[in-house]
Amino acid sequence: MELQLKKTALSRSWILLDKDGTGTILDVDKYAIMRMVEIHARDLRILDPLLSYPSAILGREKVIVLNLEHIKAIITAQEVLLRDPMDDDIVPIVEELRRRLPKSTGDEEPSAQDREAEFPFEFRALEVALEAICSFLDARTIELETAAYPALDELTSQISSRNLDRVRKLKSAMTRLTNRVQKIRDELENLLDDDDDMADLYLSKKLANLSSPASSFGAPNWLLSSPNPDSKIHRSSKASTATSVQVENDVEDLEMLLEAYFTQIEGTLNKLNTLREYIDDTEDYINIQLDSHRNQLIQLELFLSLGTVCLSIYSLVGAIFGMNIPYTWKDGHGYMFKWVVMLGGMVSASLFLSIVTYARRKGLVGS
């Protein structure tokens, strides 16, 4: 029966999806989850939305711990536990899981979806999660591009406080989104670079080998479930476990799956890098414009200062001839006033033009 999802206020709600695509909403605490899927508290802490843990795809003995942005899930060989199924971003993922998890039946020629169903259950669930997060980040990138490019073009045509603040906010959003995409990309790259980590994701194969009679002589359980993934005991136990249960290190199918989404997330990151370069180019252009305006202001200030100096010389001549001191050469020479005024003005103007011409010839000011 199809599960109808309704919004509730469950702060710790999970949805449990099995191989048939049927789901059950659970409102349980972390201890119940730990008992249900046999997971350590340290791994479950990664899925806590209140803690800022980086994106991670961790293969454990019986589960895959998935923390990809808002997608927080625990995948087993037969079930998927997805956190916060009522969230608007999670509801489409739940519907897609319910559509793609069940294996198709019948004698018809297998379609692309049927061939996809040949993957182990955990890989089909992992693929849905990777496809969802890649599409989500790509959609956010497209939204950012749609808003950023017109804003940058408007800023180049008119430099204003409003446009500068708008571009500043867009640049901050781009930086945050780039960091998020980079974390997903780095996690996929690290996973692809380590065949042992990819082999840990083959839950169905490990379950089949552990259930075989030959696996009863493997490593003890306390070694297989070491809570410290970085300890030497845990690393050695992983090696001994891989040998004892004879997990084949054939990860070609999973590698192809991860490569596809690594390429997709790399394309999203390239879009953001292109946008960053465009923003940087725009900033350089704006800085050049501001420097040009600043140089023009400095040049104007220089011309005003030079004019002030020349007028000071003219004022000095006028001040000398305007003093009330009796000189004999003033008598009968009233006609000299106009010549002093004209010659003083001509000398000041000639001095101003000479200095400006010299500065331009030497390249000290613009043309």
Side-chain angles (χ1 to χ4, degrees):
M1 187 173 80
E2 192 169 300
L3 176 67
Q4 299 295 330
L5 296 179
K6 298 180 180 179
K7 285 187 176 294
T8 60
L10 300 179
S11 59
R12 293 177 295 179
S13 60
W14 297 75
I15 184 170
L16 178 65
L17 294 164
D18 57 20
K19 285 187 174 182
D20 297 329
T22 58
T24 305
I25 294 182
L26 308 173
D27 184 19
V28 294
D29 57 19
K30 63 179 182 180
Y31 302 104
I33 295 294
M34 290 168 57
R35 291 192 299 269
M36 185 183 304
V37 296
E38 300 181 25
I39 188 175
H40 292 291
R42 180 171 299 177
D43 294 330
L44 189 60
R45 194 182 305 129
I46 297 175
L47 305 181
D48 193 337
L50 301 179
L51 302 177
S52 300
Y53 277 90
S55 299
I57 303 175
L58 304 178
R60 294 298 183 247
E61 184 61 28
K62 296 182 180 179
V63 299
I64 297 174
V65 182
L66 202 64
N67 178 25
L68 300 175
E69 292 284 328
H70 57 279
I71 304 176
K72 302 181 183 299
I74 301 173
I75 303 174
T76 70
Q78 298 177 343
E79 296 171 332
V80 177
L81 269 168
L82 191 62
R83 189 171 187 131
D84 299 328
M86 310 305 172
D87 189 88
D88 291 336
D89 294 326
I90 301 298
V91 171
I93 302 174
V94 174
E95 295 298 329
E96 187 67 14
L97 284 169
R98 294 172 54 225
R99 185 181 70 86
R100 293 169 61 172
L101 287 182
K103 288 189 176 182
S104 59
T105 57
D107 299 330
E108 303 89 357
E109 182 178 351
S111 62
Q113 182 176 351
D114 298 333
R115 290 191 295 270
E116 175 188 291
E118 295 176 1
F119 277 165
F121 174 85
E122 63 270 17
F123 289 174
R124 300 201 304 275
L126 178 61
E127 182 175 13
V128 172
L130 289 174
E131 181 178 338
I133 194 61
C134 290
S135 301
F136 174 81
L137 293 175
D138 189 62
R140 300 290 84 76
T141 301
I142 292 175
E143 290 177 3
L144 185 62
E145 287 180 327
T146 303
Y149 284 114
L152 292 169
D153 293 339
E154 185 177 352
L155 179 61
T156 55
S157 61
Q158 181 182 3
I159 302 175
S160 64
S161 299
R162 174 181 169 273
N163 291 336
L164 286 171
D165 185 64
R166 183 182 175 190
V167 171
R168 178 188 62 82
K169 293 178 179 178
L170 289 171
K171 185 177 180 180
S172 299
M174 183 209 65
T175 301
R176 291 193 299 269
L177 183 58
T178 301
N179 292 334
R180 293 161 61 187
V181 174
Q182 186 68 47
K183 290 177 182 178
I184 302 293
R185 187 246 181 214
D186 291 343
E187 180 62 23
L188 290 176
E189 185 179 28
N190 294 335
L191 194 59
L192 284 167
D193 289 341
D194 196 324
D195 288 348
D196 292 335
D197 286 345
M198 285 191 286
D200 285 339
L201 304 183
Y202 278 78
L203 302 181
S204 299
K205 186 180 296 185
K206 290 193 292 184
L207 183 62
N209 288 332
L210 286 171
S211 61
S212 64
S215 64
S216 60
F217 300 99
N221 292 332
W222 68 271
L223 276 178
L224 298 180
S225 57
S226 173
N228 186 358
D230 297 324
S231 65
K232 295 181 179 179
I233 295 178
H234 184 72
R235 289 196 296 267
S236 62
S237 66
K238 285 179 62 176
S240 62
T241 302
T243 303
S244 61
V245 299
Q246 297 178 353
V247 177
E248 297 180 4
N249 199 19
D250 183 11
V251 294
E252 182 178 354
D253 292 338
L254 178 59
E255 187 174 5
M256 292 177 61
L257 175 65
L258 296 176
E259 279 285 357
Y261 292 104
F262 177 80
T263 302
Q264 185 173 343
I265 203 71
E266 186 77 16
T268 302
L269 187 60
N270 289 337
K271 290 181 183 179
L272 291 170
N273 288 334
T274 301
L275 179 58
R276 177 182 291 277
E277 292 175 359
Y278 194 85
I279 291 177
D280 291 340
D281 292 342
T282 303
E283 288 181 343
D284 292 340
Y285 176 75
I286 297 300
N287 289 332
I288 291 173
Q289 280 190 322
L290 294 176
D291 289 341
S292 177
H293 292 163
R294 191 178 299 110
N295 291 336
Q296 290 176 357
L297 290 174
I298 294 174
Q299 184 172 315
L300 176 61
E301 183 181 4
L302 175 64
F303 287 156
L304 291 176
S305 300
L306 180 60
T308 302
V309 171
C310 294
L311 287 176
S312 298
I313 297 175
Y314 179 73
S315 299
L316 176 64
V317 175
I320 292 174
F321 281 89
M323 289 187 293
N324 290 325
I325 299 177
Y327 288 108
T328 56
W329 52 267
K330 287 185 177 181
D331 299 334
H333 295 83
Y335 65 93
M336 291 293 294
F337 175 77
K338 61 180 179 180
W339 291 107
V340 171
V341 172
M342 288 188 296
L343 287 175
M346 292 174 61
V347 170
S348 298
S350 299
L351 180 61
F352 177 81
L353 293 176
S354 299
I355 296 176
V356 171
T357 302
Y358 174 80
R360 286 180 175 175
R361 185 176 301 173
K362 294 297 184 178
L364 301 179
V365 295
S367 57

